[in-house]
């Protein structure tokens, strides 16, 4: 039974909304399991071309559920596979947008950064305050934050709990767009529908190619990009897209 998230489809966008309002959407094992299961279902649904993860206007997710971890041992953390749930997001093939308002802290910030695009409301606040609990980020915060905003700022956030406002997150490259809180989710879903209207296989491989830039050397990334580029010439959508361009008509994508 799903208790911690609410899902729906708007157009061709699958929306997964975190729903633990009393805990400011703190991420526990049940919520993360339900979220990843929902995203994996959207990923294989041909009616869905893009996904949006969101929370409430007050909080995207205020972090991991500290009560769940407070008494843990190293062995329990290693075998419990809680943080491994974040890794399932990396295996989603379709694009995933984080629509963030209010607090995105600790594990919540890490969840947002694990998505492919971040859209924020003007009230969004991003932070990795784990140092205040005597630990460090453990679900990608030290790595993805550094890649997004650079070493100097990431060090200040991780070592000293600095928070980023929405405008700062936009300026430093953590988010791509900032909107008023009244429309941020609507705009994220609109962006998702725009992406979902593109050629589906090309979208998947484009996402894979961009993500490879963070995991490969430049030479290996260029080689990977070229192989994906060549591979797309085996698809019906490539033939359709180029024929539509030449003949000045809208393309009709089939995902084949």
């Amino acid at each position: 039974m799903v208790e911690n998230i609410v899902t729906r489809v708007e157009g061709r966008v699958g929306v997964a909304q975190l729903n633990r309002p009393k805990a400011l959407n703190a991420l526990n094992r049940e919520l993360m399991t339900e979220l990843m299961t929902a995203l994996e279902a959207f990923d294989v649904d041909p009616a869905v071309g893009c996904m949006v993860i969101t929370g409430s206007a007050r909080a995207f997710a205020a972090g991991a559920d500290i009560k769940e971890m407070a008494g843990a041992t190293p062995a329990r953390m290693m075998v419990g596979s809680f943080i491994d749930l974040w890794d399932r997001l990396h295996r989603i093939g379709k694009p995933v947008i984080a629509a963030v308002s209010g607090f995105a802290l600790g594990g919540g910030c890490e969840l947002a950064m694990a998505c492919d695009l971040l859209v924020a409301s003007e009230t969004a606040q991003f932070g990795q305050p784990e140092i205040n609990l005597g630990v460090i980020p453990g679900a990608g915060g030290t790595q993805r934050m550094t890649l997004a905003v650079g070493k100097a700022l990431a060090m200040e956030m991780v070592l000293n709990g600095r928070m980023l406002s929405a405008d700062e997150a936009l300026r430093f490259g953590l988010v791509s767009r900032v909107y008023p809180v009244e429309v941020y989710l609507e705009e994220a879903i609109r962006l998702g529908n725009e992406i979902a209207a593109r050629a589906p296989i090309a979208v998947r491989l484009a996402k894979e190619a961009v993500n490879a830039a963070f995991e490969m050397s430049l030479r290996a990334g260029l080689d990977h990009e070229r192989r994906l580029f060549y591979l797309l010439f085996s698809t019906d959508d490539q033939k359709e897209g180029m024929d539509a361009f030449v003949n000045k008509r809208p393309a009709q994508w089939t995902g084949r």
Side-chain angles (χ1 to χ4, degrees), residues 11-12 19 24 48 51 60 69 76 88 116 120 126 131 220 232 234 242:
R12 297 198 67 240
N19 189 37
L24 295 180
V48 171
M51 300 166 225
F60 176 75
M69 294 189 294
R76 177 182 158 194
R88 289 168 62 180
D116 303 301
F126 298 88
I131 199 74
L232 285 165
S234 68
M242 293 191 175

Side-chain angles (χ1 to χ4, degrees), residues 98-247:
V100 178
S101 186
F103 299 114
L105 307 178
C109 188
E110 290 170 308
L111 175 61
M113 291 192 297
C115 296
D116 303 301
L117 286 164
L118 278 74
V119 172
S121 85
E122 293 171 335
T123 67
Q125 297 182 68
F126 298 88
Q128 299 291 165
E130 287 89 345
I131 199 74
N132 297 322
L133 301 174
V135 293
I136 67 171
T142 64
Q143 304 302 298
R144 290 192 175 98
M145 186 64 75
T146 304
L147 290 170
V149 306
K151 177 182 175 182
L153 184 53
M155 279 290 190
E156 189 172 352
M157 296 180 72
V158 172
L159 296 181
N160 204 37
R162 174 174 172 175
M163 304 270 285
L164 292 186
S165 68
D167 287 341
E168 288 175 319
L170 180 64
R171 185 163 74 250
F172 291 117
L174 183 62
V175 307
S176 63
R177 305 186 186 198
V178 175
Y179 293 104
V181 67
E182 296 82 7
V183 298
Y184 81 98
L185 180 55
E186 174 186 334
E187 291 294 337
I189 293 171
R190 182 185 61 79
L191 175 61
N193 272 309
E194 288 181 357
I195 294 170
R198 313 291 181 183
I201 301 174
V203 166
R204 278 180 173 267
L205 297 191
K207 166 179 169 169
E208 180 180 330
V210 173
N211 283 333
F214 294 97
E215 300 171 357
M216 298 180 178
S217 68
L218 176 59
R219 181 71 262 164
L222 290 170
D223 290 343
H224 186 61
E225 175 193 75
R226 195 163 304 167
R227 287 192 293 272
L228 297 178
F229 173 69
Y230 293 154
L231 178 61
L232 285 165
F233 281 78
S234 68
T235 66
D236 292 344
D237 279 347
Q238 174 268 325
K239 306 297 186 294
E240 167 64 12
M242 293 191 175
D243 184 76
F245 178 83
V246 169
N247 291 291

